[in-house]
Amino acid sequence: QQQVKQSPQSLIVQKGGISIINCAYENTAFDYFPWYQQFPGKGPALLIAIRPDVSEKKEGRFTISFNKSAKQFSLHIMDSQPGDSATYFCAASSREKLTFGTGTRLTIIP
Amino acid sequence: DAMVIQNPRYQVTQFGKPVTLSCSQTLNHNVMYWYQQKSSQAPKLLFHYYDKDFNNEADTPDNFQSRRPNTSFCFLDIRSPGLGDAAMYLCATSLQKINQPQHFGDGTRLSIL
């Protein structure tokens, strides 16, 4: 019940396209949902986060959509750029522990 | 810039030889975490400190220990590293325990010979 399922495992998107990564959870006690971006050889960096009292949050080209009843949330990257190529982790937090999804390796091709 | 700094970036040790990884932070955050991340996997929480209170994950091997001598520094000690302990070790901090963003360092990549 502590798992966060993330898909797809890898994703290739053309430059300028929309990248979509999906996550699903079971534990209804989760109440904070961050997304992290990780480049090779670097630590994860917080990209954007949402709490379950809102259905959408947008920061620049990055949008989180949250569906509380379906226990799903997704990351949309608009106008994807080669610099967005990285591994993305969704995560969910209940009290003091952060549970990560399995990660999506995103590649943006010219 | 306020940040989380891990030293060294790369560490090579021999099978069974104790090793210590260090983390420092200038964010003045109360919570410090240690994660283990293996290739193409998500970070796995080993333990965390809330101030001086130590919290060990149930499945963290006894081989792994941690020290936090003050707010700014935290150490990860691996007493007898095995080949399976080769990984990236990430330190992170957050202001409080609950539902706060975690700020990660760039990690120490540990190799075991």
Side-chain angles (χ1 to χ4, degrees):
Chain A
Q1 211 187 16
Q2 282 294 109
Q3 280 186 327
V4 177
K5 295 180 181 178
Q6 183 171 347
S7 63
Q9 189 175 352
S10 63
L11 180 62
I12 299 174
V13 174
Q14 273 201 313
K15 179 182 174 183
I18 303 173
S19 304
I20 302 173
I21 304 171
N22 300 299
C23 287
Y25 63 97
E26 289 295 324
N27 186 353
T28 55
F30 287 143
D31 55 4
Y32 175 69
F33 301 87
W35 283 87
Y36 285 86
Q37 179 189 55
Q38 187 175 26
F39 293 105
K42 296 286 190 178
L46 180 67
L47 197 59
I48 187 172
I50 197 167
R51 299 189 191 274
D53 51 346
V54 298
S55 59
E56 186 175 282
K57 183 173 181 181
K58 184 176 180 179
E59 288 183 4
R61 296 184 295 109
F62 301 93
T63 300
I64 300 179
S65 297
F66 188 84
N67 186 330
K68 189 173 181 178
S69 60
K71 291 184 279 188
Q72 295 174 347
F73 58 111
S74 60
L75 176 69
H76 292 62
I77 306 174
M78 312 300 286
D79 187 26
S80 299
Q81 299 296 313
D84 298 330
S85 297
T87 298
Y88 292 79
F89 292 97
C90 64
S93 176
S94 169
R95 299 183 63 79
E96 56 197 46
K97 185 172 177 176
L98 199 59
T99 301
F100 284 90
T102 48
T104 297
R105 179 172 288 185
L106 174 65
T107 304
I108 308 300
I109 56 175
Chain B
D1 284 343
M3 55 196 335
V4 180
I5 302 165
Q6 291 188 244
N7 284 305
R9 291 297 317 279
Y10 301 91
Q11 176 73 57
V12 181
T13 192
Q14 289 181 323
F15 182 93
K17 186 174 181 181
V19 64
T20 295
L21 310 182
S22 73
C23 176
S24 65
Q25 56 129 342
T26 59
L27 296 160
N28 204 30
H29 282 175
N30 292 308
V31 194
M32 294 188 78
Y33 306 82
W34 279 105
Y35 289 86
Q36 180 192 64
Q37 186 177 29
K38 296 191 173 180
S39 183
S40 302
Q41 294 184 19
K44 179 180 180 297
L45 182 64
L46 296 173
F47 24 61
H48 74 273
Y49 276 95
Y50 178 70
D51 196 13
K52 293 184 179 181
D53 292 335
F54 176 71
N55 296 272
N56 200 32
E57 290 299 296
D59 57 355
T60 298
D62 293 339
N63 202 23
F64 290 80
Q65 294 181 335
S66 184
R67 297 169 282 135
R68 188 179 186 186
N70 54 53
T71 302
S72 301
F73 285 88
C74 197
F75 300 97
L76 170 62
D77 301 307
I78 308 176
R79 286 190 296 183
S80 183
L83 296 178
D85 296 329
M88 174 78 86
Y89 289 88
L90 295 163
C91 175
T93 72
S94 65
L95 183 59
Q96 296 294 342
K97 275 197 296 188
I98 298 177
N99 298 342
Q100 293 281 312
Q102 290 188 18
H103 301 264
F104 285 82
D106 283 336
T108 294
R109 181 163 294 284
L110 179 65
S111 300
I112 313 295
L113 299 180

